[in-house]
Amino acid sequence: SLQTRSLLGVFEEDAAAISNYINQLFQAMHRIYDAQNELSAATHLTSKLLKEYEKQRFPLGGDDEVMTSTLQQFAKVIDELSSCHAVLSTQLADAMMFPITQFKERDLKEILTLKEVFQIASNDHDAAITRYSRLSKRKENEKIKAEVTEDVYTSRKKQHQTMMHYFCALNTLQYKKKISLLEPLLGYMQAQISFFKMGSENLTEQLEEFLTNIGTSVQNVRREMDCEVENMQQTIEDLEVASDPLYLPDPDPTKFPAHRNLTRKAGYLNARNKTGLVSSSWERQFYFTQGGNLMSQARGDVAGGLVMDIDNCSVMAVDCEDRRYCFQITSFDGKKSSILQAESKKDYEEWICTINNISKQIYLSENPEEIAARVNQSALEAVTPSPSFQQRHESMRPAIQSRPPAARTSSTGSLGSDSTALSALSLDSLVAPDTPIQFDIISPVSEDLPGQAKSSGQSGRRTNPFGESGGSKPETEDSILHQLFIVRFLGSMEVKSDESPDVVYETMRQILAARAIHNVFRMTESHLLVTCDCLKLIDPQTQVTRLRFPLPNVVLYATHQENKRLFGFVLRTSGGRVESHQTSICYIFESNNEGEKICDSVGLAKQIAFHAELDRKASEKQKEIDRVKEKQQKELNKQKQIEKDLEEQSRLIAASSRSNQSSTEGQFVVLSSSQSEDSDLGEDGKKKKESEA
């Protein structure tokens, strides 16, 4: 009936709640049992380790018999406790876990099984009743009626029997749930009482004094810890006040100057990755230097990866349209480059200085930071003005030329090694006073010096390294020498002498030191084309010639004595500050360890040009001799023709005299024509004719 099914629903809901609660209680008691097993095993392991203490050989600890005996006593007590824990684990398994496991696995599963069987029997009974109700009144089939009646009987009997067993199990569950709750708890409490009894027998009063001493020591340590925590809190407050300016993303460089002597550095940088022809993205990664390598590591990675070998590399500041504090690192062969962005100006300068120091392989020395500091100090000394310069700047008046210049000793070059002493040359004898240093190719000096602009000015014509087409013939098409180098322009300045390589060395030191002092790290990369006619600086992107240096005007060239990446040459030009006055300008470049090759190439070009000039002069002289010989031959042929004409006229005169047909007037005409011809011959012809007569 519906009332019975409603009451059955209440019992089923109660059975479900009991099942849910018993499952949670089973998990809690199982955790107690697992924890007790783990505690028993851990206690046994602790006792075992304490017993093995006497077998240990500590490097800083000798044999301590008191400590050994104390630990042996602890091991004995803990071993007894371990036995008690093992007994407790066994009792918990028998008295607590077994009853609740039986109730969960047997009784609750029986309820669920009977519920499913009762549901199936009820469905079968409903189906049999439905078929029995569909029996036709007019067409009665005894066989079908008997089958349907048998189905109704069978299903109704099955449903009734299943229902009685199911209801009996539900009623019994109300008693079993009390037993399943009380028996495990009773076993748990009895096991604990037994455990504590065993513990009270093992833990005697002899241990109380020892435990009291241990408690006193713990209190002393706690007081010391409280004092230390208070001191640390005060230190933290002081550090917070002192570090407040450092919380800014870009701290004031005057208060926190950049450290320029580093040979190792690590920190976060933004790397630019090209995503298209004109588009790019920035990725933040952790970068660090390891020897002569630049490494990067993304967040979450176990180790870093190699980005670039920065030995003999070049680093320079670059301008990005959307980012600040960007710099570019180019490998020694120029094939790989990377653009990175620092977080602040301080990090920006420190990264550039650190990579620059590593590129010079300072990190391979025993005291890298000391050598880097000495290099920077040498750079400071290299741009320290001489006394005459200081007096000129202080008095703001021109220098007195008659005053002997102060002797200037050479300082260490930008590589951190001693350069050749310039004992015989002073600063004023090498570099013109008040000469500015140009750090870029496009410079105001080229605009102020018209002579230089004519000789080494820019030509807007594009240079094609694979050959040019069109009507205009390139000037380097017939050149025997045609070599291309990758260079970076460091700077140029006017010099007073162009007779000794020391001028180039001193200019290198002055320009590098000025770059270090004024934080100028930008370098313009170009292609240097060496031919027999000139030196060309070509833009690598547009192939447009930036500067052109006629080879005859390159009067001096040299590479650094120790750093083969640095080289320079002196260009002698007409015009300058004073019209019709020749000036000498020294240009300094950095290459990829090809300084000597470039100087050798320039020397070879000048030799080829010199021999070509000798051949040209010899050819012109030979042509002049050939022209003189040709002129003499023409005059000789002309004289022979005149002589031939005279002989012909003489024969005509003789023939006319023999025939006696000539007249005085005819003779006069002949003589007149003869005299006119003689006058046309000139003095040389007359003398020759007289001698022949």
Side-chain angles (χ1 to χ4, degrees):
S1 63
L2 294 179
Q3 291 80 5
T4 304
R5 288 188 177 274
S6 178
L7 184 60
L8 177 62
V10 175
F11 273 81
E12 288 179 348
E13 185 179 356
D14 183 74
I18 292 174
S19 177
N20 186 25
Y21 180 77
I22 290 299
N23 287 331
Q24 295 180 6
L25 184 62
F26 174 80
Q27 293 177 1
M29 290 184 175
H30 201 280
R31 288 182 63 182
I32 293 175
Y33 176 68
D34 292 340
Q36 185 60 42
N37 289 335
E38 182 66 24
L39 181 59
S40 177
T43 308
H44 179 71
L45 179 60
T46 303
S47 175
K48 183 180 178 180
L49 290 175
L50 292 177
K51 291 178 181 179
E52 293 177 355
Y53 178 81
E54 60 181 358
K55 300 179 182 179
Q56 302 297 322
R57 295 294 180 265
F58 299 103
L60 300 180
D63 296 335
D64 190 351
E65 297 180 357
V66 177
M67 188 67 178
T68 303
S69 61
T70 304
L71 293 180
Q72 288 296 328
Q73 184 178 358
F74 267 111
K76 181 180 178 181
V77 177
I78 293 175
D79 197 7
E80 294 176 356
L81 291 176
S82 176
S83 301
C84 296
H85 284 294
V87 173
L88 178 60
S89 297
T90 304
Q91 291 178 351
L92 290 178
D94 296 338
M96 182 181 69
M97 296 305 300
F98 180 75
I100 195 171
T101 303
Q102 286 292 324
F103 178 72
K104 178 176 179 293
E105 298 294 335
R106 185 181 63 185
D107 298 330
L108 293 180
K109 282 190 176 181
E110 182 183 3
I111 294 295
L112 293 176
T113 303
L114 290 174
K115 181 180 179 180
E116 292 177 359
V117 173
F118 172 73
Q119 188 67 34
I120 293 173
S122 178
N123 293 335
D124 292 343
H125 177 261
D126 293 340
I129 291 297
T130 302
R131 287 197 300 272
Y132 181 77
S133 300
R134 291 177 180 176
L135 290 175
S136 176
K137 180 179 178 181
R138 296 179 181 180
K139 297 180 181 180
E140 294 185 357
N141 190 339
E142 296 296 334
K143 184 178 180 181
I144 296 176
K145 183 178 180 181
E147 291 178 357
V148 172
T149 304
E150 183 67 23
D151 288 343
V152 172
Y153 171 79
T154 304
S155 60
R156 182 171 292 176
K157 182 179 179 180
K158 181 180 178 182
Q159 180 191 12
H160 186 253
Q161 291 176 353
T162 305
M163 180 181 64
M164 289 188 294
H165 287 289
Y166 184 37
F167 290 174
C168 181
L170 289 176
N171 290 328
T172 309
L173 182 64
Q174 300 301 317
Y175 297 96
K176 288 183 178 180
K177 71 177 181 180
K178 298 177 182 179
I179 298 173
S180 64
L181 289 175
L182 295 177
E183 280 187 350
L185 295 176
L186 181 61
Y188 174 75
M189 296 306 298
Q190 289 177 349
Q192 292 292 340
I193 291 172
S194 176
F195 172 74
F196 286 120
K197 285 182 179 180
M198 290 185 294
S200 63
E201 295 175 357
N202 295 326
L203 299 175
T204 61
E205 296 179 357
Q206 297 178 357
L207 296 175
E208 292 183 1
E209 184 179 357
F210 176 73
L211 296 177
T212 303
N213 295 334
I214 293 296
T216 304
S217 300
V218 169
Q219 293 298 327
N220 294 333
V221 172
R222 186 177 297 276
R223 283 193 294 269
E224 293 178 2
M225 182 187 66
D226 293 338
C227 295
E228 186 67 23
V229 168
E230 186 178 355
N231 294 334
M232 286 190 294
Q233 291 293 337
Q234 184 63 36
T235 303
I236 290 174
E237 292 178 1
D238 296 339
L239 288 176
E240 287 180 353
V241 175
S243 304
D244 186 68
L246 293 177
Y247 298 147
L248 295 173
D250 194 2
D252 189 0
T254 58
K255 297 181 180 179
F256 302 95
H259 193 357
R260 304 180 181 277
N261 306 330
L262 298 176
T263 55
R264 292 182 300 173
K265 187 167 177 61
Y268 280 96
L269 295 173
N270 293 325
R272 189 175 75 171
N273 300 321
K274 285 190 175 181
T275 57
L277 295 176
V278 295
S279 60
S280 60
S281 63
W282 294 84
E283 182 180 4
R284 179 181 169 87
Q285 287 188 353
F286 185 81
Y287 284 80
F288 60 95
T289 60
Q290 190 176 52
N293 298 325
L294 179 64
M295 315 289 288
S296 70
Q297 183 175 353
R299 185 172 295 177
D301 292 350
V302 179
L306 177 64
V307 176
M308 188 185 301
D309 182 7
I310 52 179
D311 277 339
N312 299 321
C313 74
S314 64
V315 57
M316 61 179 177
V318 294
D319 286 333
C320 294
E321 296 180 356
D322 56 341
R323 299 287 177 125
R324 300 180 303 166
Y325 308 136
C326 296
F327 58 95
Q328 180 177 357
I329 308 173
T330 306
S331 59
F332 68 96
D333 54 2
K335 295 181 179 179
K336 188 175 182 181
S337 63
S338 179
I339 296 180
L340 304 173
Q341 180 199 16
E343 294 181 355
S344 63
K345 185 176 182 181
K346 178 177 178 292
D347 287 344
Y348 161 78
E349 295 179 359
E350 286 184 354
W351 270 107
I352 292 178
C353 293
T354 302
I355 295 175
N356 194 24
N357 292 336
I358 294 176
S359 68
K360 299 172 184 176
Q361 298 182 351
I362 297 178
Y363 67 94
L364 297 176
S365 58
E366 295 182 358
N367 299 318
E369 292 193 3
E370 181 180 351
I371 294 178
R374 191 160 58 243
V375 169
N376 291 328
Q377 183 63 28
S378 301
L380 288 172
E381 294 176 357
V383 295
T384 303
S386 62
S388 60
F389 269 52
Q390 291 179 357
Q391 293 176 3
R392 281 197 297 268
H393 286 291
E394 290 174 359
S395 60
M396 298 298 291
R397 53 190 176 85
I400 302 175
Q401 300 296 333
S402 62
R403 180 177 179 178
R408 180 179 179 85
T409 58
S410 64
S411 60
T412 307
S414 62
L415 292 176
S417 58
D418 296 335
S419 60
T420 305
L422 304 177
S423 58
L425 296 175
S426 66
L427 182 64
D428 290 346
S429 64
L430 293 177
V431 181
D434 302 330
T435 300
I437 298 177
Q438 306 168 34
F439 296 115
D440 201 354
I441 292 178
I442 307 300
S443 60
V445 174
S446 61
E447 299 176 0
D448 297 339
L449 302 179
Q452 181 182 354
K454 294 178 182 179
S455 61
S456 61
Q458 295 184 359
S459 63
R461 190 170 60 85
R462 204 179 282 269
T463 301
N464 185 3
F466 299 101
E468 299 187 8
S469 61
S472 61
K473 182 179 180 181
E475 59 181 355
T476 60
E477 183 179 359
D478 298 333
S479 178
I480 300 176
L481 187 65
H482 194 278
Q483 291 187 351
L484 197 67
F485 301 94
I486 298 176
V487 297
R488 288 167 292 279
F489 182 71
L490 293 177
S492 64
M493 59 188 303
E494 185 177 346
V495 296
K496 296 180 63 177
S497 174
D498 54 8
E499 299 176 356
S500 173
D502 293 335
V503 177
V504 180
Y505 305 151
E506 180 66 19
T507 306
M508 288 179 181
R509 186 178 60 170
Q510 293 289 333
I511 290 177
L512 291 177
R515 278 180 167 267
I517 294 302
H518 299 292
N519 299 330
V520 179
F521 301 105
R522 184 189 309 279
M523 291 187 291
T524 303
E525 185 169 314
S526 305
H527 289 172
L528 179 64
L529 179 63
V530 181
T531 65
C532 299
D533 300 326
C534 63
L535 306 180
K536 281 186 177 182
L537 280 180
I538 302 173
D539 191 321
Q541 302 294 331
T542 61
Q543 296 298 321
V544 172
T545 302
R546 292 174 172 170
L547 286 179
R548 180 182 180 277
F549 307 101
L551 192 63
N553 294 352
V554 179
V555 296
L556 181 65
Y557 50 91
T559 184
H560 197 277
Q561 296 166 320
E562 297 179 2
N563 185 3
K564 304 307 178 183
R565 298 165 55 191
L566 301 178
F567 77 97
F569 58 85
V570 178
L571 186 73
R572 184 183 297 170
T573 60
S574 60
R577 300 183 179 183
V578 181
E579 292 296 335
S580 68
H581 175 68
Q582 289 188 345
T583 59
S584 299
I585 300 177
C586 185
Y587 293 85
I588 305 300
F589 296 88
E590 181 188 36
S591 64
N592 300 327
N593 279 335
E594 295 180 340
E596 291 184 348
K597 293 182 181 180
I598 297 176
C599 291
D600 294 341
S601 178
V602 175
L604 179 62
K606 290 187 75 67
Q607 290 182 3
I608 294 175
F610 176 72
H611 289 294
E613 183 67 19
L614 292 180
D615 295 341
R616 186 184 63 80
K617 291 183 179 180
S619 177
E620 290 180 356
K621 187 175 182 180
Q622 184 64 34
K623 289 181 181 179
E624 184 67 23
I625 293 174
D626 293 342
R627 284 197 298 270
V628 172
K629 288 183 179 180
E630 184 179 357
K631 185 177 180 180
Q632 292 178 356
Q633 185 66 31
K634 287 182 180 180
E635 291 181 355
L636 183 60
N637 293 336
K638 187 176 181 180
Q639 291 177 0
K640 288 182 179 180
Q641 184 66 30
I642 292 173
E643 291 176 357
K644 186 176 180 180
D645 294 340
L646 290 175
E647 290 178 357
E648 184 67 25
Q649 291 179 2
S650 299
R651 286 197 299 270
L652 291 174
I653 293 172
S656 61
S657 61
R658 282 196 302 268
S659 60
N660 293 323
Q661 293 178 359
S662 59
S663 62
T664 305
E665 184 179 358
Q667 292 178 356
F668 178 75
V669 171
V670 171
L671 289 176
S672 300
S673 63
S674 175
Q675 290 175 359
S676 63
E677 289 177 356
D678 292 341
S679 63
D680 294 335
L681 289 176
E683 294 297 331
D684 295 337
K686 289 181 179 180
K687 290 180 180 181
K688 187 174 182 180
K689 186 176 180 181
E690 289 176 357
S691 62
E692 289 178 355

